Amino acid sequence: MSIEYINKNFKRLEEEIKKQKKYKYSDIYDDDLFREMYKLLNAGKIEEAVRLWNSRTPSEMMYLWGKTILDFMVWSTEGVKTAGEINLLSQKISFTTREVTALLYGNQKYFTTEILGNYFFDVYKIENAALKKRILDASLAQFEHHISGAMANTPARILNDIRNFQRDLHYYHESIRNIENLDQYLDDVQRAFKDQMRKKYPSFYKAMEDGKVLKSRWYGPDNNKVKSYTLDEYTDMMTRPTILNIDRAAAQGYAHSMGHRVVEFYERDHRMIKSEEREICKHILHKKIHGKSLLALDDETSLLLGIRTVAQAQADGSMYIHCRHSIKPVDDQFHHELEKVIFLLKQTVEESA
C-alpha cells in the first residue's frame, strides 16, 4: 500500500465531507420521515426509530472516515516510514475527524430539536420555552461530550501506537543488519518479531482485523474498559440514550410542573441486550408502592417512602448509556392516593419526634 493510495482515500473523504456540507436538512429529512418517526415513538418502538433515523445519516462519509484511518494503520505496518510522512497523514486525519464530528453533531442536533424535542414536549404538554431549552441543551451536551471525546481521542491513540510501532520497527531493521547467515535466519527472525508486535499492540492489530477503529471508554459497571466500534455502530449506540434522555427529562419536567412528588420507573426500551440488567435497576423495579416502582423528586419524599430520588438512581448507574429504563408521570388518581399516604407518614414522623 503506497502513500499515494492513502492520499487518494483522503481526497475521497474530503470530497464526501464537502458534499455533506452542501446538503440542507430539508433535502434529507422530509415530512414522511417525521410522521413515521412519530408513529414508531408512539408505539414505543425505539429500536425501529433508531434504525430509521440512522438510515438517513451520511453513511458513505462515515465509511470513508473509518476506511481512511484503517488504511493508514495498515500502511504504517508495511516497512519503516519517515516521521514527516506519518505527521502529514496524521494532520489530515485530525482535520477530517473534526469535520466529520461537526457534521454528525449537526445531524443529531436537528434530530433532537426538530423530532425528539417536539414529540416529547407534545406528549408531556410542556410549553415553557426555558424548560424546553434546558432539556434540549442537556441532551445535546451529553451526545457532543461522548462523540467528540471518542472521535478526538481515536486518532491520538492510533498515532501514538503507530509512532511506537515505527520505533520498534526501526530497531528491528537495525538489529537484523548484524545477523550472520541472514538468509538462513531471516524467516524465523521476522516471524518472532511479528509475534512480539501482536502481543505488544493487540488492540492495534485487532482494529485492523475487525475494521473497528473508533475507540471509546465503555460506559457501564467497568468504566476502565475501552471498546472498539465502527463509526456507524457508535452513532447508533449514542442515538438511543439521546431519545431516552429527552423522554426522562421531559417526564420529570412535567411531573414537577404538576406538583407531583414521584415518577414511575419502568422499561421504556424493549430491545434485547447482551449484558445482564443492572442491579440498581432490578432493585428499583423490585420495590413496589401501590403496585408501581417509584423514584422521588425530592429528598423528603425519598426518606418518607424509603425510595431513591431520580438523581440518586442516576448516580448509582441507572438511566445511563445502555440502560433501557425511563421514568413517566403517575396519573392524577395515583398522585392523590399517594399524597394521603405521605400525609400520614409525615404525621407519624412528627409525633415520634
Side-chain angles (χ1 to χ4, degrees), residues 197-208:
M197 295 293 267
R198 281 187 173 275
K199 289 177 183 176
K200 191 169 184 179
Y201 305 105
S203 64
F204 187 74
Y205 276 96
K206 185 166 176 56
M208 287 193 289

Side-chain angles (χ1 to χ4, degrees), residues 236-286:
D236 178 271
M237 180 187 78
M238 287 305 305
T239 302
R240 291 182 182 84
T242 301
I243 293 174
L244 291 173
N245 284 341
I246 296 184
D247 180 31
R248 295 161 185 154
Q252 189 171 353
Y254 173 80
H256 274 299
S257 70
M258 295 299 292
H260 291 184
R261 295 173 179 266
V262 298
V263 286
E264 183 178 356
F265 183 82
Y266 75 114
E267 185 180 285
R268 175 74 164 84
D269 181 1
H270 305 300
R271 75 185 189 281
M272 295 295 292
I273 54 174
K274 294 179 182 178
S275 58
E276 291 186 8
E277 205 72 79
R278 294 179 186 181
E279 288 301 318
I280 176 62
C281 296
K282 288 181 183 177
H283 180 80
I284 296 170
L285 288 169
H286 180 72

Side-chain angles (χ1 to χ4, degrees), residues 21-177:
K21 283 184 171 181
K22 290 179 181 177
Y23 284 133
K24 294 180 180 178
Y25 289 118
S26 56
D27 296 333
I28 308 170
Y29 312 114
D30 52 28
D31 290 342
D32 287 341
L33 174 72
F34 289 178
R35 281 192 291 270
E36 185 62 24
M37 188 67 69
Y38 275 41
K39 191 187 300 181
L40 292 172
L41 291 172
N42 272 328
K45 296 180 178 179
I46 290 179
E47 186 73 10
E48 288 88 341
V50 170
R51 195 178 300 122
L52 174 61
W53 177 255
N54 287 336
S55 70
R56 303 294 182 96
T57 56
S59 56
E60 180 66 14
M61 181 187 72
M62 294 157 73
Y63 164 76
L64 286 172
W65 180 82
K67 175 176 169 46
T68 302
I69 292 182
L70 185 61
D71 286 342
F72 179 41
M73 295 167 69
V74 173
W75 169 82
S76 71
T77 67
E78 298 175 346
V80 178
K81 312 299 180 186
T82 67
E85 288 175 321
I86 292 173
N87 288 339
L88 180 63
L89 295 180
S90 67
Q91 287 171 16
K92 289 186 177 183
I93 283 180
S94 295
F95 173 76
T96 53
T97 295
R98 287 195 297 271
E99 296 283 283
V100 170
T101 304
L103 283 165
L104 290 176
Y105 175 73
N107 262 39
Q108 190 70 28
K109 183 176 182 180
Y110 187 81
F111 177 51
T112 301
T113 55
E114 298 300 322
I115 296 181
L116 297 182
N118 288 339
Y119 171 77
F120 285 115
F121 297 153
D122 183 55
V123 167
Y124 293 114
K125 300 178 178 61
I126 294 176
E127 297 179 353
N128 184 283
L131 178 57
K132 288 180 181 180
K133 186 176 185 305
R134 285 200 301 272
I135 290 171
L136 292 174
D137 287 350
S139 182
L140 285 167
Q142 187 174 115
F143 178 87
E144 184 178 29
H145 168 73
H146 290 305
I147 198 161
S148 297
M151 291 190 70
N153 289 330
T154 292
R157 291 191 192 102
I158 289 170
L159 181 60
N160 184 62
D161 279 349
I162 286 174
R163 283 175 172 155
N164 289 332
F165 189 97
Q166 284 293 314
R167 181 197 61 205
D168 290 341
L169 198 59
H170 178 76
Y171 290 154
Y172 162 73
H173 278 279
E174 288 295 314
S175 66
I176 64 174
R177 292 180 182 178

Side-chain angles (χ1 to χ4, degrees), residues 1-14 68 71 75 85 88-89 92:
M1 188 180 293
S2 65
I3 194 168
E4 289 77 20
Y5 177 83
I6 303 292
N7 278 319
K8 281 183 181 178
N9 281 347
F10 273 114
K11 189 172 182 180
R12 287 177 61 200
L13 174 58
E14 288 162 0
T68 302
D71 286 342
W75 169 82
E85 288 175 321
L88 180 63
L89 295 180
K92 289 186 177 183

Side-chain angles (χ1 to χ4, degrees), residues 309-322:
T309 63
V310 172
Q312 288 169 342
Q314 290 173 324
D316 291 339
S318 182
M319 295 182 286
Y320 199 49
I321 293 175
H322 306 299

